Amino acid sequence: LILSELKKKTEGRKSNNNLDDYLNLILKKRELLDLQRELVDYLVYKQQIKKILLSKKLLDLMISILGPDIHYIRSFDMAINRNEENGYFFKNPHQEFWSGCGLSTLQLWIPVFYENGMGTIDFYPGSHKMGLIPNKDRKPYKLPKNIKAKNLKINLGDVFVFHSLTLHKSAQNFSKETRIAFPIQLT
């Protein structure tokens, strides 16, 4: 669905029918932030996010943690990471709680366009038990010396579930191709 929607947005301009070709054509005239929000809205409209969340295994896990009354935030920033060290979608260590998520919020990180070498996210095991980590401008400034990041090992089709207090950051994408993941919040 993402590729077909991007193809429509290129208005028939020549492309090799892959994600990066479409993005490169579209981003000559548009902002990435606007494009990714349109794509998320389209996927919500097409009920694809709901379909993912209602898959039996994931739904059973979420009910066991949150109970049967589950809500997901329908407007989220699709995580688009290109081969660059910085940029809007490259996030430094942060807690989702800093963005306004509650203590009962879980974050799902679901790779959609992903191959080994594209990087994932780095997370800090046990950081959710530290509570709100002191930060300035959403950057931590007071971390215990013994806390170490661990890189997430994940396969396409897997879902990483973590608490809104878990400290995490984007891992660099070393591939020349774009990585896309869905960071969906559930309450």
Side-chain angles (χ1 to χ4, degrees):
L1 281 173
I2 291 172
L3 286 176
S4 65
E5 189 64 11
L6 289 173
K7 185 176 184 175
K8 286 181 204 170
K9 292 181 179 300
T10 61
E11 301 167 348
R13 288 181 274 173
K14 190 173 180 177
S15 167
N16 289 329
N17 200 35
N18 72 42
L19 176 67
D20 285 297
D21 286 345
Y22 290 136
L23 285 174
N24 290 335
L25 286 170
I26 294 167
L27 294 177
K28 288 179 183 178
K29 296 183 178 183
R30 313 246 345 258
E31 292 292 324
L32 183 59
L33 181 62
D34 295 331
L35 176 62
Q36 67 90 22
R37 291 224 170 115
E38 289 173 22
L39 289 172
V40 168
D41 290 344
Y42 177 71
L43 293 171
V44 168
Y45 168 74
K46 288 296 214 173
Q47 308 237 350
Q48 292 305 299
I49 305 304
K50 185 176 179 181
K51 184 178 177 182
I52 291 168
L53 296 176
L54 290 177
S55 66
K56 181 163 178 36
K57 193 172 182 179
L58 182 58
L59 183 60
D60 288 348
L61 175 66
M62 293 299 100
I63 288 173
S64 74
I65 298 170
L66 296 171
D69 186 18
I70 299 174
H71 173 76
Y72 76 97
I73 298 171
R74 293 169 58 125
S75 178
F76 59 88
D77 288 344
M78 185 184 297
I80 300 175
N81 294 96
R82 303 186 96 186
N83 187 330
E84 59 182 45
E85 186 165 324
N86 294 306
Y88 180 79
F89 295 102
F90 184 85
K91 303 291 186 184
N92 289 313
H94 64 284
Q95 294 175 301
E96 294 304 322
F97 190 77
W98 300 350
S99 305
C101 291
L103 289 176
S104 63
T105 302
L106 291 179
Q107 178 88 17
L108 307 180
W109 193 85
I110 307 169
V112 180
F113 284 86
Y114 172 75
E115 295 175 7
N116 287 335
M118 289 183 165
T120 56
I121 62 177
D122 295 333
F123 66 100
Y124 296 75
S127 59
H128 64 288
K129 296 175 186 174
M130 297 169 52
L132 181 61
I133 295 172
N135 68 89
K136 183 175 182 180
D137 298 327
R138 296 185 184 180
K139 292 179 185 170
Y141 65 84
K142 192 174 183 181
L143 288 175
K145 293 181 194 260
N146 63 345
I147 192 166
K148 301 253 189 267
K150 182 177 180 180
N151 184 258
L152 173 66
K153 304 295 183 213
I154 197 167
N155 296 309
L156 196 59
D158 290 344
V159 177
F160 180 52
V161 179
F162 58 98
H163 191 269
S164 65
L165 288 175
T166 302
L167 189 67
H168 62 285
K169 66 178 184 162
S170 300
Q172 187 171 352
N173 181 354
F174 291 103
S175 168
K176 298 224 183 277
E177 298 188 23
T178 300
R179 176 187 81 216
I180 295 181
F182 295 154
I184 301 173
Q185 297 164 352
L186 297 176
T187 59

